[in-house]
C-alpha cells in the first residue's frame, strides 16, 4: 500500500514534465553481457566468461583497442546476475563480492577512464529474472545508489511483478532517476511484458518516460528469432514505429552478430534491419574471438550512419515483391534531403538466390529526376534511375538483403 501511494505521488509530479534527460538523441550504441554470457556465475570453472568485473574490464579494453569505440559504441553494460543474493543491512544493493571484489563504483571509474560509459541492470519486481534482489519497495534508494556509483545507463526489467503496476512503476523509477540529478539512459521492458499479458501498451506514456523500450521477446542466437523480430516490426501493432524519435527508441534487443547462430547473410540482414529501424545497436558477443566478417558488419560506417541519422525516424515496411517472399523496407535520411535507405529482405529461404524486377516508383523512388543509388554496405555507387517508371532487376540471396541508399538527382 505504501508503495502504491509513493508511486502515485511520483507519477503526479512526473506528468507535468515528461522525459527530458538530454540523452540518446541518436540510438544508443554499446555492449551488453546477456545474449552471449547469460547468467554464467561459475568463475571457478569458467573464469573467462563468468559475469564479473574481469569480463567487463576485458571487453571495455577491447571496445577501445579494436575500434568499436571509434565506430560509435559507447556504453558497456552488465545485465542480470551481478548482484549479491541479499541487500546490505541498510537495504542497499550490493554486487556479488567474489565476482565484483572492487565494487561497482570502481568498475564504473575504470570504464570512464577509457572514455566509455557504464550501464547496469535491475528489475521493477521483487526479484530480477534470475532471482536476485529486485527494486520493488526500493525504487528511490536504488536510483540513488546507481547515481552514487556513477552509472550512465539503467536497463530495467519486469520479472516478478504485476504488469498492471507498470504504468505507474516505470514512471516512478524514471522520476527517481531524474531526481538524482545524474543523467542516466533509461531502458524499459514495459511494453513487452504488457503485450504478452494482454495489456495494450500506452506508447505515449512510454515515449515520455523511457529512452528506449523493448517491444518483443528476448532475442536468441538463431535466424528464427531474428525473423520473428522482423515480422513483429513489420506488423507494427499499435503503430509503435511512429513513437521513435531522438531520445526515445523502440528496442528490438541485442545484436547477436558474432556468435554461433547466424550465417554471414543472416548477420547482414540483422545489421541492415537494425539500421533501418533506428534501433539501439547493442552488441553481445565475445570481442576476444569475433570473426573479421562480424567485426566488419558491427563497425560498418555506412550502416551505422543510416542507424544514427539525426532525424531519428524508424523505417517501415512499405511493400512486398509479388510472387516472392521479399519484403521492402524504407527509412528517411536527413542528408541530402529526400534521401532514404531502402532494403529488400528475403524471408524465408527459397534455397536459391531470387531474381526479381521492381518498378522504381513502387518502392518510393518517385522523384521525376531519378536517384543515384549506392550500396548500403560499401557506399559504392551502383546505378542511377531516371524516372519512377524505370525497372530495377535485382538478385537477393536466401536469408539475405540488398541495402541501398537512394539520393534524389537534383534537376
Ligand atoms: C529531469 O527532468 C527535468 C524536466 O524534464 C529536465 O529538465 C532535467 O534535465 C532532468 N534531469 C535529469 C538528470 O534527467
Ligand atoms: C539473505 O537473507 C535471507 C532473509 O533475511 C536469509 O534467510 C538468507 O540466509 C540470506 N542469504 C545470504 C546468502 O546471506
Ligand atoms: C496514455 O498516457 C498518456 C500520457 O501519460 C495519458 O495522457 C493518456 O491518458 C494515456 N492513455 C490511456 C488510454 O490511458
Ligand atoms: C501511425 O502514426 C503516424 C505518425 O503519427 C501516422 O501518420 C499514421 O497515420 C499512423 N498509422 C496508423 C495506421 O495509425
Amino acid at each position: 500500500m505504501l508503495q502504491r501511494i509513493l508511486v502515485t505521488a511520483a507519477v503526479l509530479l512526473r506528468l507535468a514534465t515528461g522525459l527530458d534527460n538530454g540523452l540518446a538523441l541518436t540510438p544508443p550504441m554499446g555492449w551488453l553481457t546477456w545474449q552471449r554470457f547469460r547468467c554464467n556465475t561459475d568463475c571457478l570453472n569458467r573464469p573467462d566468461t563468468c559475469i564479473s568485473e574481469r569480463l567487463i574490464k576485458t571487453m571495455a579494453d577491447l571496445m577501445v583497442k579494436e575500434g568499436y569505440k571509434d565506430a560509435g559504441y559507447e556504453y558497456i553494460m552488465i545485465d542480470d546476475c551481478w548482484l549479491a543474493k541479499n541487500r546490505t543491512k541498510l537495504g542497499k544493493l550490493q554486487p556479488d563480492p567474489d565476482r565484483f571484489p572492487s565494487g561497482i563504483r570502481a568498475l564504473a571509474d575504470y570504464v570512464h577512464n577509457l572514455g566509455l560509459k557504464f550501464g547496469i541492470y535491475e528489475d521493477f519486481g521483487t526479484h530480477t529474472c534470475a532471482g536476485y534482489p529486485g527494486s520493488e519497495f526500493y525504487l528511490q534508494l536504488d536510483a540513488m545508489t546507481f547515481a552514487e556509483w556513477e552509472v550512465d545507463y539503467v536497463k530495467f526489467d519486469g520479472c516478478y511483478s504485476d504488469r498492471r503496476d507498470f504504468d505507474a512503476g516505470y514512471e516512478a523509477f524514471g522520476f527517481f532517476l531524474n531526481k538524482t540529478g545524474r543523467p542516466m539512459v533509461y531502458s524499459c521492458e514495459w511494453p513487452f511484458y504488457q503485450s504478452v499479458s494482454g495489456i495494450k501498451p500506452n506508447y505515449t506514456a512510454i515515449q515520455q518516460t523511457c529512452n528506449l523500450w523493448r517491444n518483443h521477446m528476448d532475442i536468441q542466437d538463431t535466424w528464427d528469432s531474428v525473423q520473428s523480430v522482423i515480422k513483429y516490426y513489420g506488423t507494427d501493432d499499435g503503430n509503435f514505429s511512429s513513437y521513435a524519435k531522438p531520445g526515445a527508441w523502440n528496442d528490438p534487443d541485442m545484436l547477436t552478430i558474432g556468435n554461433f547462430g547466424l550465417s554471414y547473410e543472416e548477420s547482414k540482414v540483422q545489421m541492415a534491419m537494425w539500421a533501418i529501424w533506428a534501433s539501439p545497436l547493442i552488441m553481445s558477443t565475445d570481442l576476444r574471438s569475433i570473426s573479421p566478417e562480424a567485426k566488419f558488419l558491427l563497425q560498418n560506417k555506412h550502416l551505422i550512419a543510416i542507424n544514427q541519422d539525426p532525424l531519428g525516424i524508424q523505417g517501415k515496411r512499405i511493400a512486398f515483391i509479388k510472387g516472392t517472399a521479399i519484403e521492402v523496407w524504407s527509412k528517411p535520411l536527413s542528408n541530402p534531403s529526400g534521401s532514404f535507405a531502402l532494403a529488400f529482405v528475403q524471408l524465408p529461404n527459397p534455397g536459391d538466390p531470387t531474381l526479381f524486377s521492381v518498378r522504381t516508383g513502387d518502392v518510393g523512388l518517385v522523384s521525376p529526376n531519378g536517384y543515384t543509388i549506392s550500396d548500403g554496405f560499401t557506399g559504392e555507387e551502383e546505378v542511377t534511375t531516371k524516372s519512377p517508371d524505370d525497372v530495377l532487376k535485382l538478385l537477393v540471396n536466401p536469408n539475405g538483403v540488398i541495402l541501398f541508399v537512394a539520393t534524389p538527382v537534383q534537376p
Side-chain angles (χ1 to χ4, degrees), residues 104-114 149-150:
I104 299 297
R105 173 63 199 268
L107 185 54
D109 287 348
Y110 184 92
V111 166
H112 291 148
N113 285 337
L114 291 171
W149 288 344
E150 302 206 339

Side-chain angles (χ1 to χ4, degrees), residues 285-298:
T285 186
D286 192 337
L287 301 176
R288 290 167 294 203
S289 54
I290 189 168
S291 71
E293 292 78 17
K295 186 175 167 187
F296 163 79
L297 287 179
L298 289 171

Side-chain angles (χ1 to χ4, degrees), residues 174-195:
F175 172 82
F176 292 129
L177 285 178
N178 177 278
K179 285 298 144 197
T180 67
R182 180 173 178 84
M184 288 182 260
V185 172
Y186 186 22
S187 164
C188 302
E189 300 249 356
W190 175 1
F192 162 62
Y193 284 106
Q194 287 191 328
S195 314

Side-chain angles (χ1 to χ4, degrees), residues 373-393:
I373 294 180
S374 59
D375 184 289
F377 289 90
T378 64
E380 277 161 39
E381 213 169 280
E382 300 239 314
V383 271
T384 306
T385 67
K386 303 239 170 337
S387 86
D389 284 321
D390 286 356
V391 171
L392 291 176
K393 251 194 185 166

Side-chain angles (χ1 to χ4, degrees), residues 52-65:
S52 62
E53 62 182 43
R54 183 172 156 206
L55 179 70
I56 298 297
K57 286 179 176 178
T58 305
M59 292 300 149
D61 289 344
L62 288 170
M63 277 176 69
V64 177
K65 278 196 203 117

Side-chain angles (χ1 to χ4, degrees), residues 357-373:
S357 301
V358 62
R359 189 183 152 271
T360 51
D362 292 343
V363 291
L365 297 153
V366 292
S367 161
N369 303 309
Y371 292 81
T372 0
I373 294 180

